Amino acid sequence: MRFSDYLQQLTMESNGKSVRADGTRVGAATGEVFWGEPGTNGQHAFHQLLHQGTRLIPVDFLGFAQPTEDLPTLDGVGSMHGVLMANLLAQSKVLAFGRTATQVVADGTPPELVPHKVMPGNRPSTTILGTKLTPSTLGQLIALYEHQVFVQGVVWGIDSFDQWGVELAKVSALELGPALWDVDGSTSVGDSSTAGLIRTYQLARGERSCPH
């Protein structure tokens, strides 16, 4: 269930860089924004953006033919695993082929709704189907994505194994810590925006009275 979170850390922390290992600027977009959900959770979270948004966002679908556990559907026809797999295949199909205005009109859709129900299609996705989710197949998926991150780092010429942006934020957090407990405001934080946020934080905690 946390696999997408793992991939988020793997890809965004490793390849979220704009400077090559030799210190020069990268001339192309690097890294990807990773997010995901198990089952059908994503359908009412971010799939709308994937289908009809203005950005072209590649998608990976991961599914398995044999469930680790299963339940019958409420009507007794098929299984919940089958429902999940049908949704997986449907999402990749609609992303690929979409729905034309002619098809929408043929459904009897009112003219004013036709543009809203057109799906452009031609949106890339990769579907990976395994036999069953086991420790071995999970390890293979991890190896696949880790190798992808490594190869991207080589192609872009960046160092995938440092996180200077993360380190800077950690250092800054240590510097800002004392200011959170300084209700007199004598500790300088270096900018008015952060100072205002700290005052708001202290007011919300009841540690500072509102100025008159």
Side-chain angles (χ1 to χ4, degrees):
M1 291 181 65
R2 301 299 301 275
F3 188 58
S4 60
D5 295 331
Y6 166 76
L7 296 182
Q8 186 180 74
Q9 184 273 334
L10 167 69
T11 60
M12 296 176 70
E13 186 173 48
S14 298
N15 286 346
K17 316 287 173 58
S18 58
V19 177
R20 295 188 181 94
D22 62 8
T24 60
R25 299 286 298 181
V26 181
T30 63
E32 297 116 348
V33 177
F34 255 70
W35 77 100
E37 284 288 333
T40 57
N41 294 351
Q43 290 188 166
H44 293 286
F46 50 80
H47 282 213
Q48 175 63 43
L49 175 67
L50 302 178
H51 285 294
Q52 290 184 301
T54 55
R55 298 179 180 87
L56 189 64
I57 303 173
V59 188
D60 287 355
F61 293 103
L62 309 178
F64 299 92
Q66 299 175 16
T68 55
E69 58 182 88
D70 203 1
L71 293 171
T73 58
L74 294 178
D75 59 9
V77 179
S79 68
M80 292 306 299
H81 179 71
V83 171
L84 291 172
M85 289 303 300
N87 276 273
L88 181 152
L89 297 174
Q91 290 291 332
S92 63
K93 176 181 178 179
V94 174
L95 282 168
F97 302 107
R99 194 161 182 78
T100 66
T102 302
Q103 291 172 317
V104 174
V105 170
D107 289 338
T109 302
E112 66 273 14
L113 291 181
V114 170
H116 301 281
K117 302 186 75 171
V118 170
M119 303 290 163
N122 199 31
R123 304 207 163 193
S125 70
T126 300
T127 301
I128 300 175
L129 292 176
T131 302
K132 189 173 183 177
L133 179 56
T134 64
S136 176
T137 54
L138 179 60
Q140 292 173 56
L141 287 170
I142 291 174
L144 169 67
Y145 282 100
E146 287 190 342
H147 185 65
Q148 172 183 296
V149 167
F150 169 75
V151 171
Q152 288 173 333
V154 171
V155 170
W156 291 323
I158 62 178
D159 183 354
S160 301
F161 303 99
D162 62 42
Q163 298 89 33
W164 296 116
V166 176
E167 291 301 319
L168 176 59
K170 289 180 179 179
V171 171
S172 184
L174 293 175
E175 295 172 346
L176 292 177
L180 293 177
W181 292 278
D182 178 14
V183 294
D184 296 328
S186 58
T187 303
S188 174
V189 297
D191 68 275
S192 59
S193 175
T194 305
L197 290 172
I198 289 176
R199 285 195 300 272
T200 302
Y201 167 81
Q202 292 170 338
L203 286 169
R205 286 177 57 87
E207 297 170 346
R208 176 184 286 211
S209 57
C210 222
H212 297 291

